[in-house]
Amino acid sequence: KNKIYAFEPNYYLFINYLKKNFKKDKKISLKNIALSNENGSRIMYFPFYNSKCIHYFSSFDKKYLINSIKITFPNLINNLKIQKKRISCRKFDDLKLNLEPKFVKIDTEGFDEYVLKGMKKTIKKYKPIFLVEYNKEYFNNIKTILKDYLPYIYDLNKNEMIPLSSKINHKKISRTNKENFLS
């Protein structure tokens, strides 16, 4: 029912998947930009294996990208080529979109806190619900930005939301941990 706004900085994913599959859908607005805490541009890193972009590992943080691949595909790391490209970045608050966001999903491979910083006015005014990928490396920064929110995690095994508290072993829920029991 609701209009979806999708912001995808990865040109390969944008052209080969999003634009190709959703171009005619009037309820989906596609933008080939990165959301950030400032307007401008940044270098984004793209891993390639056999001349194909592994788009879901693309990141503005090269170290984060390499660590994610080492954990997920340890045998591929030496066979990857990492390309870089300058990407346009915009603050969400500066886009002047006529919308009241109710739900925001952020999965930016370690860049989530910058997206949230660029949404400060929107967060304060509309208080949308957020779905943010948990990364132990950035969790405290996200928690600080969303200080008025109660954090939950989704347990796939139990199919339920669990309040995230200090009692939970944060090392076991991080995507960048081999013992992650949530994935």
Side-chain angles (χ1 to χ4, degrees), residues 9-172:
N10 183 325
Y11 177 80
Y12 307 102
L13 180 59
F14 185 81
I15 294 299
N16 295 324
Y17 181 72
L18 292 176
K19 199 165 183 184
K20 186 175 172 181
N21 291 307
F22 299 107
K23 185 178 182 179
K24 294 179 183 178
D25 192 329
K26 301 290 184 210
K27 293 214 178 250
I28 299 176
S29 173
L30 303 171
K31 306 284 185 206
N32 186 212
I33 61 170
L35 295 178
S36 183
N37 61 324
E38 54 190 29
N39 297 317
S41 65
R42 295 179 67 111
I43 296 294
M44 188 172 206
Y45 300 94
F46 301 89
F48 281 80
Y49 179 74
N50 289 339
S51 302
K52 295 198 186 237
C53 182
I54 308 173
H55 61 80
Y56 47 88
F57 284 114
S58 300
S59 177
F60 289 111
D61 185 338
K62 187 176 182 181
K63 182 181 171 187
Y64 181 88
L65 178 153
I66 290 169
N67 286 337
S68 292
I69 292 173
K70 280 181 180 176
I71 288 167
T72 312
F73 301 113
N75 298 331
L76 292 185
I77 195 68
N78 294 326
N79 298 317
L80 293 177
K81 298 210 180 329
I82 297 176
Q83 295 181 13
K84 60 184 181 177
K85 182 176 170 126
R86 187 158 290 281
I87 302 295
S88 176
C89 299
R90 298 285 309 274
K91 289 171 63 173
F92 184 85
D93 288 338
D94 291 348
L95 292 176
K96 310 226 184 303
L97 299 171
N98 186 21
L99 66 116
E100 296 179 24
K102 306 281 188 240
F103 179 80
V104 177
K105 177 188 176 285
I106 303 174
D107 185 355
T108 60
E109 299 306 309
F111 203 66
D112 306 12
E113 68 181 282
Y114 301 102
V115 173
L116 291 169
K117 286 177 182 177
M119 295 183 77
K120 282 183 180 180
K121 292 176 189 173
T122 301
I123 293 168
K124 185 176 182 178
K125 185 173 182 178
Y126 299 111
K127 298 172 181 48
I129 295 169
F130 285 93
L131 173 62
V132 181
E133 182 181 36
Y134 179 88
N135 292 298
K136 67 180 177 183
E137 296 87 353
Y138 305 105
F139 177 69
N140 286 331
N141 297 344
I142 302 295
K143 198 165 99 173
T144 300
I145 296 166
L146 296 176
K147 64 183 180 296
D148 295 330
Y149 285 77
L150 296 173
Y152 286 82
I153 57 170
Y154 179 70
D155 187 326
L156 288 172
N157 295 323
K158 296 179 182 176
N159 191 28
E160 67 182 10
M161 299 297 290
I162 302 169
L164 191 57
S165 68
S166 57
K167 295 176 185 176
I168 291 177
N169 183 345
H170 291 262
K171 289 181 182 178
K172 286 196 172 189

